[in-house]
Amino acid sequence: MTRRALLAVYALLIVVPLMVVLFGSLKTTPDLFASPFGPPTAPTLGNYRVILGDAGLLRVFGNSALVVIVSVPATLALASLVGYAVARLPRWPSRILFGVFAAGLAVPAQAMMIPQYVQFDRLGLRDSLLGLMLINVVVTLPVAVFILSGFMRTLPRELFEAAALDGAGPWAAYRRVAVPLSLPSLAATAIFLLVMHWNDLLYPLLFIDDPAKRTLPLALLDFSGEYLTDYPLLFTGVVIASVPMVLLYAFLQRWFVAGITAGAVKG
Amino acid sequence: MRRHWGLYLFPIPALALYLAFFVLPAAQGLQYAITDWDGFSPSYNQVGAGNFARIVTNDDQFANALRNNLTFLLAVVSGQTVLALGLAVLLAARTRGSTVLRALFFLPTVLSSISVAFVWRFVYDPNLGLLHSLGVPGRFLGDEDTAILWVAVAQIWFHAGQMMVLFIAGLHQIPAELHEAAHVDGAGRWQRFRFVTWPMLAPATALVVAYTTIQSFKAFDLILGLAGNPPRSSLDILSTRIYTTFTNSQLGYAAAESVVFMLAIGVVTWLQNRAARIGAGR
């Protein structure tokens, strides 16, 4: 009984704030003041209209989508090539290669962001979506390499030897053996990267000046300055930014858990 | 096996990007750290160890951020580890209900930290907020002394489900025979937890503590979302302090702060590793 009670309490702690946000996004500001927590008495989509229209969040949404559509597959492709090499190279080259990337795991973005800012500025890659895609790829390479080489090393070597006997070069073996067999870990890594890239605030905050190039988290932060405590609008922003991830999570739960947990196993 | 020299080509694209945009800037960061560069002037002076001397001896704001960061770290690590372990123990058995609850508890992890910050800003709002309406006294984020602890609560809400999953994985690796043997020997529920489950969870615990530590050093977005930009001093932690210094056109000094930040993470992680090793009796 106590077990159930404890779990119920924690479930409420998760659900109630999220419901308040969802309900709040359907209220007008006076309604929210009148009843901050309950379901909306006269639900309205007015906030959504304001945000998607005036505040240009549709464009911002598009920017975020574009960034992840490019940066997630690019990171996966680059990291899986490294993972494959780590799995197949002789012992020492493999260890060195892995070590070089693994060392990057210990470096937090905040320690790198300043020289990266200078560098991207000099290259003219600051204030551009291309720059954001590139930095996303670079900063998540270490963890993606870590997850994927971990998996590719578990593939039996005999498979690659058999492929070589059949006359397959390394590239053919990568395409026909390594990639198909590692699809589950590629999927899990993809989701991990998706969550990271979609939710990142630091680099857009550093790199993007042009309001038209903002991504969702940055637009949300700007909102909080503009609308300060206009909670219905803030909540609407939260809902719009979260819906894609929450929907994907609802359908691909297993992969989310696998991916984000594998990402955690990096220490 | 025949040698495939072609294999050495595979990592080249990733290595090139990594060296150019990760390793090179890391090295440049060290260079900037010994200058007084503001970030846009064409020239600047070398100040040697001057920045570091100032950080260590004469920078109240940095010391304040470091203190806040350590308070935050201790609160999140202890609170989150205990909570996640508790949830994991309650949900380790796979039943229909437990699967649904696990999914629910993990859900906040997929949200952005800025979204989580807005949710909690409302919870803590001194006039409208959830806690205020429930009659919980206090000014929460407005209270100088405890503000950082309220952020810690939000951080725990955000990531406890993720750590719970790591603990559940750890629990599933404990052979059932151990529990049965302890049961046969007359060990009660608590004793079985204390003498079987808990020691066997040592690797999972070390992982959770290490990851929680890194996460709490990176709590940047959550603070900006809750506190605004720049955050007031009661909410300032190392990551936000570096960012503020940087945006105040003290690029060289911010780079030096980053170096100290890295060292702080290194020291904390090293201490944890030692503690974990001593705990495991090695």
Side-chain angles (χ1 to χ4, degrees), chain A residues 3 6-7 10-11 13-18 20-21 32-33 36-37 78-79 81-82 84-85 88-90 93 97 100-120 122-123 125 134-135 137-139 141-142 157 160-161 164 168-171 174 192 195 198-202 205-206 216-217 220-221 223-224 228-229 231 234-235 237-238 241-242 245-246 249 253 256-257 260-261 263-267, chain B residues 1-8 10-15 17-26 28-29 32 37 39 44 83 87 89-93 95 98-99 101-116 118-123 125 128-131 133-134 156-157 160-163 165-166 189 207 210-211 214 217-221 224-225 228-229 239-240 242-243 246 251-252 254-255 258-259 261-262 265:
Chain A
R3 174 179 176 269
L6 289 170
L7 289 172
Y10 196 67
L13 286 177
I14 300 289
V15 171
V16 169
L18 296 177
V20 167
V21 168
L32 187 86
F33 274 88
F37 314 120
L78 292 167
L81 289 170
V82 179
Y84 176 69
R88 289 203 63 192
L89 283 172
L97 181 63
V100 164
F101 282 101
L105 290 174
V107 183
Q110 279 86 355
M112 308 271 302
M113 64 187 186
I114 292 161
Q116 281 166 337
Y117 173 91
V118 176
Q119 185 185 36
F120 275 63
R122 282 185 183 151
L123 294 171
L125 284 166
L134 181 60
I135 197 76
V137 171
V138 169
V139 297
L141 260 181
R157 268 193 116 86
F160 296 120
E161 281 160 21
W171 175 246
Y174 168 76
F192 174 76
V195 174
W198 181 264
N199 289 336
D200 180 46
L201 172 69
L202 180 67
L205 185 62
L206 275 177
L216 273 164
L220 280 183
L221 184 69
F223 266 20
S224 73
L228 211 59
T229 47
Y231 285 115
L234 288 186
F235 289 168
V238 168
S242 308
M245 289 301 127
V246 172
Y249 176 62
Q253 226 186 79
F256 268 79
V257 174
I260 295 179
T261 318
V265 188
K266 61 170 211 169
Chain B
M1 192 166 66
R2 214 181 91 224
R3 273 191 190 268
H4 289 292
W5 295 107
L7 276 174
Y8 288 89
F10 282 73
I12 285 178
L15 266 178
L17 287 181
Y18 182 68
L19 291 176
F21 299 108
F22 200 108
V23 178
L24 179 69
Q28 279 170 329
Y32 299 143
W37 193 25
Y44 49 82
L83 176 63
L87 294 174
V89 169
L90 294 179
L91 290 177
T95 63
S98 82
T99 314
L101 286 178
R102 273 189 219 173
L104 180 67
F105 296 170
F106 189 84
L107 173 68
T109 302
V110 312
L111 304 177
S112 69
S113 21
I114 197 84
S115 299
V116 171
F118 289 169
V119 173
W120 283 85
R121 199 198 266 198
F122 187 68
V123 172
D125 189 295
L128 282 182
L130 216 58
L131 286 178
S133 308
L134 290 171
I156 292 171
W157 183 88
Q162 189 185 0
M163 301 308 146
V165 170
L166 294 175
R189 228 179 177 184
L207 183 67
Y211 195 53
I214 304 269
F217 272 110
K218 293 197 302 193
F220 179 81
D221 315 8
L224 285 199
N229 180 16
S239 62
T240 49
I242 294 169
Y243 180 72
F246 168 68
L251 192 141
S258 307
V259 174
F261 175 65
M262 278 290 300
I265 296 182

